[in-house]
Amino acid sequence: MAAHPTLKETYAARAATASHPLNRYLFQLMDLKASNLCLSADVATARELLYFADKIGPYIVVLKTHHDMIAGWDFHPEHGTGAKLASLARRHGFLIFEDRKFGDIGNTVELQYTSGSARIIEWAHIVNVNMVPGKASVTSLADAAKRWLDRYPCEVRTSVTVGTPTIGHFDTDDEDEAPAKKEAEMETSADNADAPHPPPNRREDGRKGSIVSVTTVTQRYESAMSPRFNKSISEGDEVLFPGIDEAPIERGLLILAQMSSKGNFMNAEYTAACVEAAREHKSFVMGFISQEALNTQADDDFIHMTPGCQLPPAGEKANGVLEGDGKGQQYNTPQKLVGEMGTDIAIVGRGILKASDPVEEAERYRSAAWKAYIERLR
């Protein structure tokens, strides 16, 4: 089968044609940061999570979390752990992916996504689903996200501007009056403030008063929870990553189509069903957790994120496949996953977190994954 066109398209080009708002944003972010790296922040405490999100944030485009394994997670919607992660995501330019792997009947996954103490939908841009229960789980999550977006709380934001009037603001009857005379009449009106007032903009002689300024009031709807107006975060801390707007409010789903663990039961038939479900819900499904690119039809524009990525120690070479962790995880290099298998984002966890210098190692992984993407385009 011929290679799909997206394998040879730049991330910038894919951003221009992507059907999902978060994919458009993510491809733009990848191009802007020259990064196709996701940090799998598998740590034990909220303090560690926020530390690594801050330190590694400049090198990644996605931060993958497991909120239910974090001790000390603060569930407060405005200044809890999720809100702090969202602030760091805006500052450093990355999306938050809660690796929840929903895998239950439709009604249950809806509640797990939108309710409970975590309220994952409020702070995670992306979630994923294990589609073993069937397509209903995907449909239910899509419906839940749509209802949440429809009900998302909004406030009216009002701005007031004052400026010099144009000629159109003046009544034609006043065109023959000198400005000095008009100012004198206004001063006289101010001196007689206690006297009975004429109707607005009309002098006691029946003629309209002069306009010395124009006040314009504009109103627009803005999310009540928008970080741009978050009162719980100080203005100095609320910084937006330069060169790109804030991430869209729409939520996205990744379908767990393939796994990197040895002996998993996700066969070709299961993967094909995942792709079919994704095509049926393109307004919500961004793409896949997979070990290879799954775009085959002409209008497929899904993104692919792949775990099990590891580099050999600095200075050593590998043939694309590395030794596993002894617990079922199998590893491949960025060159193998991105360059040969056609995936888009390399997910790295312990390779960075356990390094003696996690920041330096994050840059090494970012550089290797980006190089694999550039070579794929040639």
Side-chain angles (χ1 to χ4, degrees):
M1 182 181 295
H4 195 269
T6 54
L7 294 175
K8 292 296 183 180
E9 288 181 345
T10 64
Y11 292 142
R14 292 174 70 180
T17 59
S19 58
H20 196 292
L22 278 179
N23 273 350
R24 288 196 296 271
Y25 180 86
L26 188 50
F27 283 129
Q28 290 172 0
L29 198 58
M30 293 158 73
D31 181 66
L32 178 64
K33 296 183 73 173
S35 174
N36 52 342
L37 179 63
C38 167
L39 175 66
S40 180
D42 298 337
V43 295
T45 67
R47 183 176 180 179
E48 290 176 279
L49 175 63
L50 294 172
Y51 172 83
F52 282 113
D54 190 25
K55 294 299 181 182
I56 310 300
Y59 304 92
I60 61 175
V61 290
V62 177
L63 178 76
K64 187 169 77 71
T65 61
H66 286 283
H67 88 276
D68 54 357
M69 62 185 274
I70 301 292
W73 185 283
D74 183 347
F75 294 104
H76 194 283
E78 292 185 14
H79 52 69
T81 305
K84 290 177 180 177
L85 281 178
S87 181
L88 290 171
R90 289 186 295 275
R91 181 188 305 173
H92 295 307
F94 60 82
L95 295 181
I96 302 169
F97 164 28
E98 168 57 22
D99 189 6
R100 180 60 178 80
K101 296 185 181 71
F102 295 108
D104 214 314
I105 62 172
N107 185 66
T108 299
V109 298
E110 281 190 41
L111 294 174
Q112 290 172 329
Y113 186 28
T114 62
S115 305
S117 55
R119 297 186 65 84
I120 295 169
I121 197 171
E122 299 287 348
W123 51 269
H125 305 96
I126 306 167
V127 291
N128 60 349
V129 63
N130 184 334
M131 221 183 68
V132 171
K135 291 183 179 180
S137 55
V138 178
T139 303
S140 296
L141 288 169
D143 291 343
K146 184 179 184 304
R147 288 195 301 272
W148 173 81
L149 189 61
D150 290 342
R151 296 196 304 264
Y152 200 80
C154 291
E155 294 177 358
V156 178
R157 300 293 175 183
T158 303
S159 60
V160 180
T161 58
V162 179
T164 305
T166 64
I167 191 66
H169 291 111
F170 294 97
D171 188 85
T172 54
D173 292 339
D174 295 330
E175 289 179 357
D176 58 343
E177 293 190 89
K181 180 179 179 183
K182 294 185 179 184
E183 290 182 8
E185 289 170 341
M186 292 190 70
E187 291 174 0
T188 301
S189 176
D191 292 339
N192 295 326
D194 295 333
H197 293 290
N201 294 331
R202 189 165 297 277
R203 301 197 307 254
E204 292 183 358
D205 61 3
R207 301 187 66 188
K208 290 184 178 178
S210 302
I211 301 175
V212 294
S213 66
V214 176
T215 300
T216 303
V217 179
T218 59
Q219 293 182 324
R220 61 188 176 88
Y221 285 98
E222 179 77 29
S223 162
M225 296 292 289
S226 170
R228 287 186 289 263
F229 297 98
N230 194 332
K231 309 301 189 300
S232 65
I233 301 176
S234 64
E235 185 176 349
D237 291 338
E238 194 56 31
V239 179
L240 191 63
F241 187 79
I244 194 167
D245 292 333
E246 189 173 346
I249 192 60
E250 288 88 352
R251 294 324 194 203
L253 180 71
L254 297 172
I255 297 180
L256 186 60
Q258 296 170 330
M259 292 188 72
S260 56
S261 56
K262 185 177 181 179
N264 71 81
F265 298 122
M266 295 181 176
N267 57 23
E269 183 180 358
Y270 167 84
T271 300
C274 291
V275 174
E276 184 178 325
R279 289 170 179 156
E280 293 171 359
H281 297 280
K282 292 190 71 172
S283 62
F284 182 51
V285 177
M286 300 170 60
F288 308 99
I289 299 294
S290 65
Q291 293 293 299
E292 61 185 337
L294 299 175
N295 290 334
T296 55
Q297 293 186 358
D299 60 347
D300 284 347
D301 59 356
F302 299 110
I303 197 168
H304 304 82
M305 304 189 193
T306 306
C309 180
Q310 192 174 80
L311 284 171
E316 296 185 15
K317 294 184 178 181
N319 60 0
V321 180
L322 298 169
E323 185 179 348
D325 67 351
K327 299 179 181 181
Q329 178 65 291
Q330 300 177 109
Y331 292 115
N332 290 287
T333 64
Q335 176 57 41
K336 175 72 174 181
L337 296 175
V338 177
E340 298 179 29
M341 305 306 292
T343 63
D344 298 305
I345 293 179
I347 301 176
V348 181
R350 285 168 285 180
I352 293 174
L353 299 176
K354 301 298 183 182
S356 57
D357 188 338
V359 172
E360 181 178 316
E361 196 70 355
E363 168 55 23
R364 193 166 78 99
Y365 272 95
R366 183 212 63 79
S367 178
W370 190 257
K371 180 182 178 181
Y373 152 69
I374 294 298
E375 291 179 348
R376 189 179 80 192
L377 297 178
R378 295 173 181 168

